[in-house]
Amino acid sequence: MRLTAIITGASRGLGLALATGLSEAGWRLVVDARTPADLAAAAEWIGRDVVAVAGDIRDPTHRTALLDAAGDVDLLVNNAGILGPSPQPRLAGYPLDALRAVYEVNVLAPLALTQLALPSLRSREGALVNVTSDAAVEPYEGWGGYGSAKAAVEQASAVLAAEEPAVRVWWADPGDLRTRMHQEAFPGEDISDRPEPETVAPTIADLISSGRPSGRYRAADLVPVSAVA
Ligand SMILES: NC(=O)c1ccc[n+]([C@@H]2O[C@H](COP(=O)([O-])OP(=O)(O)OC[C@H]3O[C@@H](n4cnc5c(N)ncnc54)[C@H](OP(=O)(O)O)[C@@H]3O)[C@@H](O)[C@H]2O)c1
């Protein structure tokens, strides 16, 4: 039976790397991002059996379109996210409208999409991956907006794991990655020493196929099955 996954934010970065890996592993995919041209190019790169639905995950109509395109859902990967202003403001002066946007994209929209997907995930004993960050648990100066949003994602994930025994709920920290978001976090700095998302995606793909219990996972602690075999 062909399994279906929704992966948000799959036009670049970690989402694209993960989508490419899951497609190669035989998953049918529904992917999104806000920028249609980038998403179309990504879908072509990913290859077979991928449905691209451009839109903003904050938009309820778009979220419904993702579920409609998927039909039955075996896996939801809430990967799309934003950093917020770059450089990141300290909390003392963080513009609240910007903070609201960070929470909308990183916390509320993924939860809303999860709510839509849960009936299908429950009935198919599916799985939910919420992409988190070490900024959720470490009090880095300047990371209070993004970090507190990811902390909310983590606690919501933990409660979902308790409330939804039929669904695996993994909240996964990929570690630092060489992506556009990471460059925004370190404007003007050379981030070429950070790993490419393609190096981390296989560990998250292995987590998905592992059947491990719900919980928080760091990619750095997960040894890819493919590297062991
Ligand atoms: N990079 C790191 O070092 C790092 C570390 C820890 C955790 N993470 C997490 O990993 C995930 C992926 O990050 P990344 O570094 O790969 O970021 P990225 O390169 O900036 O990619 C973000 C993706 O999300 C999409 N997106 C952003 N806002 C969206 C919205 N409102 N609706 C739909 N799609 C949206 C973007 O496309 P559009 O802009 O076209 O919408 C893009 O496809 C995020 O959850 C991030 O917090 C990253």
Side-chain angles (χ1 to χ4, degrees):
M1 184 184 61
R2 204 83 194 274
L3 299 174
T4 298
I6 298 174
I7 306 177
T8 63
S11 65
R12 61 173 187 267
L14 179 61
L16 176 57
L18 198 51
T20 305
L22 291 183
S23 176
E24 284 167 3
W27 286 77
R28 177 179 167 262
L29 300 179
V30 176
V31 296
D32 88 340
R34 289 166 299 179
T35 313
D38 292 354
L39 184 65
E44 199 170 314
W45 167 262
I46 294 164
R48 58 179 178 215
D49 220 350
V50 53
V51 181
V53 184
D56 190 321
I57 49 165
R58 290 174 296 182
D59 175 1
T61 308
H62 171 61
R63 294 193 295 262
T64 302
L66 288 173
L67 265 294
D68 287 348
D72 292 324
V73 189
D74 301 281
L75 172 69
L76 168 62
V77 181
N78 282 315
N79 165 79
I82 58 169
L83 180 75
S86 170
Q88 295 185 85
R90 298 171 76 85
L91 280 180
Y94 206 115
L96 294 182
D97 282 349
L99 186 60
R100 203 168 281 121
V102 168
Y103 277 48
E104 282 283 345
V105 176
N106 293 350
V107 183
L108 294 174
L111 180 58
L113 190 57
T114 301
Q115 289 172 340
L116 287 183
L118 267 174
S120 190
L121 292 177
R122 277 186 206 119
S123 70
R124 296 170 75 84
E125 298 190 335
L128 169 68
V129 176
N130 286 330
V131 179
T132 183
S133 164
D134 60 339
V137 292
E138 300 289 346
Y140 301 129
E141 287 177 41
W143 287 78
Y146 172 88
S148 61
K150 289 296 190 183
V153 167
E154 295 214 2
Q155 183 63 357
S157 303
V159 172
L160 275 171
E163 291 179 346
E164 302 291 340
V167 179
R168 303 280 169 153
V169 182
W170 299 301
W171 45 117
D173 168 12
D176 288 354
L177 299 174
R178 199 185 316 167
T179 67
R180 189 183 301 181
M181 179 190 286
H182 198 85
Q183 187 67 73
E184 288 169 6
F186 298 94
E189 289 187 33
D190 178 9
I191 63 163
S192 61
D193 61 337
R194 273 55 152 203
E196 297 274 13
E198 291 75 18
T199 64
V200 166
T203 60
I204 297 179
D206 285 346
L207 173 64
I208 290 164
S209 60
S210 69
R212 284 179 189 241
S214 295
R216 184 180 204 275
Y217 292 88
R218 289 173 67 231
D221 299 331
L222 294 166
V223 180
V225 173
S226 46
V228 174

